[in-house]
Amino acid sequence: MTTPASNSVADSSDIKRPSEFYDSDSLFKKRIKTGEESENQVNTAKASNANSSAREGFFEIEADAAEDKGSRHTMEDAWVVLHDAAFNFPGILRCAHFAIYDGHGGRLAADYAQKHLNENVLSAGLPRELLDVKSAKKAILNGFRKTDEALLLESAAGGWQDGATAVCVWILDQTAGGSVSTNGRLQGRLEVSRAFGDRQFKKVGVVAIPDVSSFDLTGRDHFIILGCDGLWGVFGPSDAVAFVHRLLQEGQPVTTISRRLVREAIRERQCKDNCTAIVIVFRQQ
């Protein structure tokens, strides 16, 4: 059951939002494409309207993310919030993308996936003119494969061996497609069986092939919560849903909701791990 929060609105200004990707700054998009933005600048870019709504279709999308490193020395999560994820790929379908990359052994793999996965999925043929779920799933799988292959080459050249799991959502028109790399344990050491990177474990079973599912958004769908294992270590799924639903009924904006969710996990439920959450809200028009 949901742990009651204080009746007063929690001050969540200390819940940070670095590593932000957003969709409203055309110059930012151009710099990503041309490489004019340094890696550090990309990782710390900010947008004042990162949670602006996409107003196509029968619902609006509002989304925002929050993160806290918990008691860990470093933050190894990276995330993406893109209300308009099409970049320079033409098409008439709304395309939005949201993702959390949970790094382990460092955050180089998480940062790499954050920068390249969506574009690789688009270039692999994510349908933008006529919705085709089969083609969308194929593009997601191929985008994951291409990202992992390129990441492995870069990690070999750079001598780094960390990895990252992922939970991602693409919204095409009124369909949400998601991919999740799940938990497991390998060689008694690695706590995941699927991940980007992890170069030293690829020969003994680690793969970057995700589970992919899709569903049509209806009037009964109000929001989606994406979270890293730090969040789900202290929140059960129904518990998190009840927490977010209560804040929505109170009229809280999505930015406040995402920050209070992470604050609850860290400060009230004593999450010690990195904790990242994205809340995606669907507003009926």
Side-chain angles (χ1 to χ4, degrees), residues 17-38:
R17 301 170 60 228
S19 308
E20 184 171 350
F21 273 34
Y22 53 92
D23 65 306
S24 60
D25 188 339
S26 59
L27 178 60
F28 178 74
K29 295 181 198 175
K30 179 180 179 182
R31 286 176 174 173
I32 287 179
K33 181 180 178 183
T34 61
E36 294 171 8
E37 190 84 72
S38 71

PDB file of all heavy atoms in Angstrom, residues 17-38:
ATOM      1  N   ARG A  17      17.837  16.913 -12.369  1.00  0.00           N
ATOM      2  CA  ARG A  17      17.391  16.520 -13.697  1.00  0.00           C
ATOM      3  C   ARG A  17      18.490  16.731 -14.727  1.00  0.00           C
ATOM      4  O   ARG A  17      18.293  17.383 -15.733  1.00  0.00           O
ATOM      5  CB  ARG A  17      16.147  17.314 -14.093  1.00  0.00           C
ATOM      6  CG  ARG A  17      14.982  17.135 -13.148  1.00  0.00           C
ATOM      7  CD  ARG A  17      13.872  18.112 -13.422  1.00  0.00           C
ATOM      8  NE  ARG A  17      13.335  17.984 -14.751  1.00  0.00           N
ATOM      9  CZ  ARG A  17      13.131  18.981 -15.584  1.00  0.00           C
ATOM     10  NH1 ARG A  17      13.475  20.196 -15.250  1.00  0.00           N
ATOM     11  NH2 ARG A  17      12.618  18.788 -16.773  1.00  0.00           N
ATOM     12  N   PRO A  18      19.705  16.191 -14.517  1.00  0.00           N
ATOM     13  CA  PRO A  18      20.729  16.310 -15.551  1.00  0.00           C
ATOM     14  C   PRO A  18      20.515  15.288 -16.647  1.00  0.00           C
ATOM     15  O   PRO A  18      19.555  14.534 -16.637  1.00  0.00           O
ATOM     16  CB  PRO A  18      22.024  16.042 -14.785  1.00  0.00           C
ATOM     17  CG  PRO A  18      21.608  15.115 -13.712  1.00  0.00           C
ATOM     18  CD  PRO A  18      20.203  15.515 -13.337  1.00  0.00           C
ATOM     19  N   SER A  19      21.449  15.235 -17.596  1.00  0.00           N
ATOM     20  CA  SER A  19      21.428  14.251 -18.684  1.00  0.00           C
ATOM     21  C   SER A  19      20.121  14.308 -19.460  1.00  0.00           C
ATOM     22  O   SER A  19      19.592  13.294 -19.864  1.00  0.00           O
ATOM     23  CB  SER A  19      21.658  12.840 -18.131  1.00  0.00           C
ATOM     24  OG  SER A  19      22.796  12.799 -17.332  1.00  0.00           O
ATOM     25  N   GLU A  20      19.584  15.520 -19.647  1.00  0.00           N
ATOM     26  CA  GLU A  20      18.247  15.662 -20.185  1.00  0.00           C
ATOM     27  C   GLU A  20      18.253  15.786 -21.708  1.00  0.00           C
ATOM     28  O   GLU A  20      19.038  16.511 -22.279  1.00  0.00           O
ATOM     29  CB  GLU A  20      17.596  16.890 -19.562  1.00  0.00           C
ATOM     30  CG  GLU A  20      16.169  17.094 -19.962  1.00  0.00           C
ATOM     31  CD  GLU A  20      15.544  18.188 -19.127  1.00  0.00           C
ATOM     32  OE1 GLU A  20      16.171  18.616 -18.154  1.00  0.00           O
ATOM     33  OE2 GLU A  20      14.443  18.615 -19.476  1.00  0.00           O
ATOM     34  N   PHE A  21      17.375  15.029 -22.343  1.00  0.00           N
ATOM     35  CA  PHE A  21      17.142  15.176 -23.769  1.00  0.00           C
ATOM     36  C   PHE A  21      15.742  15.739 -23.939  1.00  0.00           C
ATOM     37  O   PHE A  21      14.822  15.339 -23.244  1.00  0.00           O
ATOM     38  CB  PHE A  21      17.224  13.825 -24.482  1.00  0.00           C
ATOM     39  CG  PHE A  21      18.606  13.435 -24.903  1.00  0.00           C
ATOM     40  CD1 PHE A  21      19.731  13.782 -24.156  1.00  0.00           C
ATOM     41  CD2 PHE A  21      18.797  12.710 -26.062  1.00  0.00           C
ATOM     42  CE1 PHE A  21      20.992  13.411 -24.548  1.00  0.00           C
ATOM     43  CE2 PHE A  21      20.064  12.341 -26.469  1.00  0.00           C
ATOM     44  CZ  PHE A  21      21.162  12.686 -25.711  1.00  0.00           C
ATOM     45  N   TYR A  22      15.554  16.643 -24.871  1.00  0.00           N
ATOM     46  CA  TYR A  22      14.260  17.271 -25.017  1.00  0.00           C
ATOM     47  C   TYR A  22      14.022  17.554 -26.488  1.00  0.00           C
ATOM     48  O   TYR A  22      14.883  17.377 -27.334  1.00  0.00           O
ATOM     49  CB  TYR A  22      14.181  18.555 -24.183  1.00  0.00           C
ATOM     50  CG  TYR A  22      15.313  19.511 -24.455  1.00  0.00           C
ATOM     51  CD1 TYR A  22      15.181  20.501 -25.400  1.00  0.00           C
ATOM     52  CD2 TYR A  22      16.525  19.408 -23.755  1.00  0.00           C
ATOM     53  CE1 TYR A  22      16.214  21.387 -25.656  1.00  0.00           C
ATOM     54  CE2 TYR A  22      17.552  20.295 -23.998  1.00  0.00           C
ATOM     55  CZ  TYR A  22      17.395  21.275 -24.943  1.00  0.00           C
ATOM     56  OH  TYR A  22      18.413  22.133 -25.180  1.00  0.00           O
ATOM     57  N   ASP A  23      12.802  18.030 -26.789  1.00  0.00           N
ATOM     58  CA  ASP A  23      12.399  18.084 -28.183  1.00  0.00           C
ATOM     59  C   ASP A  23      12.118  19.475 -28.716  1.00  0.00           C
ATOM     60  O   ASP A  23      11.755  19.619 -29.866  1.00  0.00           O
ATOM     61  CB  ASP A  23      11.123  17.256 -28.374  1.00  0.00           C
ATOM     62  CG  ASP A  23       9.942  17.851 -27.633  1.00  0.00           C
ATOM     63  OD1 ASP A  23      10.071  18.070 -26.422  1.00  0.00           O
ATOM     64  OD2 ASP A  23       8.912  18.100 -28.281  1.00  0.00           O
ATOM     65  N   SER A  24      12.297  20.524 -27.927  1.00  0.00           N
ATOM     66  CA  SER A  24      11.793  21.827 -28.344  1.00  0.00           C
ATOM     67  C   SER A  24      12.859  22.758 -28.909  1.00  0.00           C
ATOM     68  O   SER A  24      12.531  23.808 -29.436  1.00  0.00           O
ATOM     69  CB  SER A  24      11.115  22.514 -27.156  1.00  0.00           C
ATOM     70  OG  SER A  24      12.059  22.682 -26.116  1.00  0.00           O
ATOM     71  N   ASP A  25      14.110  22.407 -28.797  1.00  0.00           N
ATOM     72  CA  ASP A  25      15.174  23.322 -29.198  1.00  0.00           C
ATOM     73  C   ASP A  25      15.794  22.838 -30.506  1.00  0.00           C
ATOM     74  O   ASP A  25      16.564  21.897 -30.535  1.00  0.00           O
ATOM     75  CB  ASP A  25      16.233  23.377 -28.083  1.00  0.00           C
ATOM     76  CG  ASP A  25      17.266  24.461 -28.344  1.00  0.00           C
ATOM     77  OD1 ASP A  25      17.422  24.890 -29.496  1.00  0.00           O
ATOM     78  OD2 ASP A  25      17.928  24.853 -27.382  1.00  0.00           O
ATOM     79  N   SER A  26      15.463  23.498 -31.618  1.00  0.00           N
ATOM     80  CA  SER A  26      15.962  23.050 -32.920  1.00  0.00           C
ATOM     81  C   SER A  26      17.476  23.168 -33.006  1.00  0.00           C
ATOM     82  O   SER A  26      18.132  22.367 -33.668  1.00  0.00           O
ATOM     83  CB  SER A  26      15.299  23.855 -34.043  1.00  0.00           C
ATOM     84  OG  SER A  26      15.577  25.238 -33.886  1.00  0.00           O
ATOM     85  N   LEU A  27      18.049  24.160 -32.328  1.00  0.00           N
ATOM     86  CA  LEU A  27      19.498  24.309 -32.338  1.00  0.00           C
ATOM     87  C   LEU A  27      20.145  23.128 -31.640  1.00  0.00           C
ATOM     88  O   LEU A  27      21.183  22.625 -32.090  1.00  0.00           O
ATOM     89  CB  LEU A  27      19.893  25.612 -31.638  1.00  0.00           C
ATOM     90  CG  LEU A  27      21.399  25.883 -31.527  1.00  0.00           C
ATOM     91  CD1 LEU A  27      22.016  25.952 -32.930  1.00  0.00           C
ATOM     92  CD2 LEU A  27      21.662  27.179 -30.774  1.00  0.00           C
ATOM     93  N   PHE A  28      19.539  22.671 -30.554  1.00  0.00           N
ATOM     94  CA  PHE A  28      20.051  21.505 -29.831  1.00  0.00           C
ATOM     95  C   PHE A  28      20.062  20.288 -30.752  1.00  0.00           C
ATOM     96  O   PHE A  28      21.025  19.546 -30.803  1.00  0.00           O
ATOM     97  CB  PHE A  28      19.182  21.249 -28.599  1.00  0.00           C
ATOM     98  CG  PHE A  28      19.577  20.048 -27.799  1.00  0.00           C
ATOM     99  CD1 PHE A  28      20.713  20.081 -27.012  1.00  0.00           C
ATOM    100  CD2 PHE A  28      18.798  18.904 -27.814  1.00  0.00           C
ATOM    101  CE1 PHE A  28      21.069  18.984 -26.258  1.00  0.00           C
ATOM    102  CE2 PHE A  28      19.148  17.811 -27.069  1.00  0.00           C
ATOM    103  CZ  PHE A  28      20.284  17.851 -26.287  1.00  0.00           C
ATOM    104  N   LYS A  29      18.969  20.087 -31.512  1.00  0.00           N
ATOM    105  CA  LYS A  29      18.924  18.963 -32.449  1.00  0.00           C
ATOM    106  C   LYS A  29      20.047  19.076 -33.481  1.00  0.00           C
ATOM    107  O   LYS A  29      20.703  18.107 -33.806  1.00  0.00           O
ATOM    108  CB  LYS A  29      17.573  18.935 -33.167  1.00  0.00           C
ATOM    109  CG  LYS A  29      16.377  18.658 -32.276  1.00  0.00           C
ATOM    110  CD  LYS A  29      15.141  18.630 -33.140  1.00  0.00           C
ATOM    111  CE  LYS A  29      13.880  18.786 -32.332  1.00  0.00           C
ATOM    112  NZ  LYS A  29      12.701  18.885 -33.181  1.00  0.00           N
ATOM    113  N   LYS A  30      20.238  20.293 -34.008  1.00  0.00           N
ATOM    114  CA  LYS A  30      21.263  20.494 -35.030  1.00  0.00           C
ATOM    115  C   LYS A  30      22.638  20.163 -34.471  1.00  0.00           C
ATOM    116  O   LYS A  30      23.462  19.538 -35.131  1.00  0.00           O
ATOM    117  CB  LYS A  30      21.212  21.934 -35.519  1.00  0.00           C
ATOM    118  CG  LYS A  30      22.268  22.257 -36.578  1.00  0.00           C
ATOM    119  CD  LYS A  30      22.163  23.702 -37.012  1.00  0.00           C
ATOM    120  CE  LYS A  30      23.231  24.033 -38.038  1.00  0.00           C
ATOM    121  NZ  LYS A  30      23.180  25.447 -38.444  1.00  0.00           N
ATOM    122  N   ARG A  31      22.891  20.562 -33.227  1.00  0.00           N
ATOM    123  CA  ARG A  31      24.194  20.312 -32.638  1.00  0.00           C
ATOM    124  C   ARG A  31      24.431  18.832 -32.409  1.00  0.00           C
ATOM    125  O   ARG A  31      25.557  18.358 -32.541  1.00  0.00           O
ATOM    126  CB  ARG A  31      24.309  21.083 -31.332  1.00  0.00           C
ATOM    127  CG  ARG A  31      24.493  22.580 -31.533  1.00  0.00           C
ATOM    128  CD  ARG A  31      24.507  23.308 -30.218  1.00  0.00           C
ATOM    129  NE  ARG A  31      24.824  24.710 -30.408  1.00  0.00           N
ATOM    130  CZ  ARG A  31      24.776  25.606 -29.443  1.00  0.00           C
ATOM    131  NH1 ARG A  31      24.411  25.255 -28.233  1.00  0.00           N
ATOM    132  NH2 ARG A  31      25.080  26.862 -29.680  1.00  0.00           N
ATOM    133  N   ILE A  32      23.389  18.098 -32.045  1.00  0.00           N
ATOM    134  CA  ILE A  32      23.556  16.654 -31.905  1.00  0.00           C
ATOM    135  C   ILE A  32      23.955  16.049 -33.246  1.00  0.00           C
ATOM    136  O   ILE A  32      24.845  15.211 -33.345  1.00  0.00           O
ATOM    137  CB  ILE A  32      22.260  16.001 -31.398  1.00  0.00           C
ATOM    138  CG1 ILE A  32      22.049  16.337 -29.929  1.00  0.00           C
ATOM    139  CG2 ILE A  32      22.313  14.489 -31.570  1.00  0.00           C
ATOM    140  CD1 ILE A  32      20.787  15.760 -29.348  1.00  0.00           C
ATOM    141  N   LYS A  33      23.296  16.489 -34.293  1.00  0.00           N
ATOM    142  CA  LYS A  33      23.560  15.921 -35.620  1.00  0.00           C
ATOM    143  C   LYS A  33      24.958  16.268 -36.116  1.00  0.00           C
ATOM    144  O   LYS A  33      25.646  15.435 -36.713  1.00  0.00           O
ATOM    145  CB  LYS A  33      22.516  16.435 -36.616  1.00  0.00           C
ATOM    146  CG  LYS A  33      22.701  15.867 -38.011  1.00  0.00           C
ATOM    147  CD  LYS A  33      21.646  16.398 -38.958  1.00  0.00           C
ATOM    148  CE  LYS A  33      21.863  15.861 -40.360  1.00  0.00           C
ATOM    149  NZ  LYS A  33      20.891  16.410 -41.326  1.00  0.00           N
ATOM    150  N   THR A  34      25.404  17.488 -35.881  1.00  0.00           N
ATOM    151  CA  THR A  34      26.677  17.932 -36.442  1.00  0.00           C
ATOM    152  C   THR A  34      27.846  17.752 -35.502  1.00  0.00           C
ATOM    153  O   THR A  34      28.986  17.959 -35.882  1.00  0.00           O
ATOM    154  CB  THR A  34      26.590  19.413 -36.823  1.00  0.00           C
ATOM    155  OG1 THR A  34      26.324  20.181 -35.637  1.00  0.00           O
ATOM    156  CG2 THR A  34      25.479  19.660 -37.841  1.00  0.00           C
ATOM    157  N   GLY A  35      27.555  17.391 -34.241  1.00  0.00           N
ATOM    158  CA  GLY A  35      28.631  17.186 -33.290  1.00  0.00           C
ATOM    159  C   GLY A  35      29.200  18.475 -32.748  1.00  0.00           C
ATOM    160  O   GLY A  35      30.286  18.489 -32.182  1.00  0.00           O
ATOM    161  N   GLU A  36      28.471  19.589 -32.888  1.00  0.00           N
ATOM    162  CA  GLU A  36      28.971  20.869 -32.411  1.00  0.00           C
ATOM    163  C   GLU A  36      28.845  21.004 -30.891  1.00  0.00           C
ATOM    164  O   GLU A  36      29.491  21.840 -30.291  1.00  0.00           O
ATOM    165  CB  GLU A  36      28.203  22.011 -33.084  1.00  0.00           C
ATOM    166  CG  GLU A  36      28.455  22.075 -34.589  1.00  0.00           C
ATOM    167  CD  GLU A  36      27.515  23.064 -35.264  1.00  0.00           C
ATOM    168  OE1 GLU A  36      26.805  23.766 -34.549  1.00  0.00           O
ATOM    169  OE2 GLU A  36      27.508  23.107 -36.491  1.00  0.00           O
ATOM    170  N   GLU A  37      27.975  20.170 -30.284  1.00  0.00           N
ATOM    171  CA  GLU A  37      27.807  20.229 -28.833  1.00  0.00           C
ATOM    172  C   GLU A  37      28.773  19.247 -28.192  1.00  0.00           C
ATOM    173  O   GLU A  37      28.865  18.103 -28.600  1.00  0.00           O
ATOM    174  CB  GLU A  37      26.372  19.827 -28.483  1.00  0.00           C
ATOM    175  CG  GLU A  37      25.984  20.078 -27.037  1.00  0.00           C
ATOM    176  CD  GLU A  37      25.547  21.513 -26.837  1.00  0.00           C
ATOM    177  OE1 GLU A  37      24.468  21.871 -27.285  1.00  0.00           O
ATOM    178  OE2 GLU A  37      26.318  22.254 -26.216  1.00  0.00           O
ATOM    179  N   SER A  38      29.536  19.673 -27.224  1.00  0.00           N
ATOM    180  CA  SER A  38      30.446  18.761 -26.544  1.00  0.00           C
ATOM    181  C   SER A  38      29.655  17.750 -25.746  1.00  0.00           C
ATOM    182  O   SER A  38      28.502  17.957 -25.414  1.00  0.00           O
ATOM    183  CB  SER A  38      31.365  19.538 -25.602  1.00  0.00           C
ATOM    184  OG  SER A  38      30.636  20.022 -24.497  1.00  0.00           O
TER     185      SER A  38
END
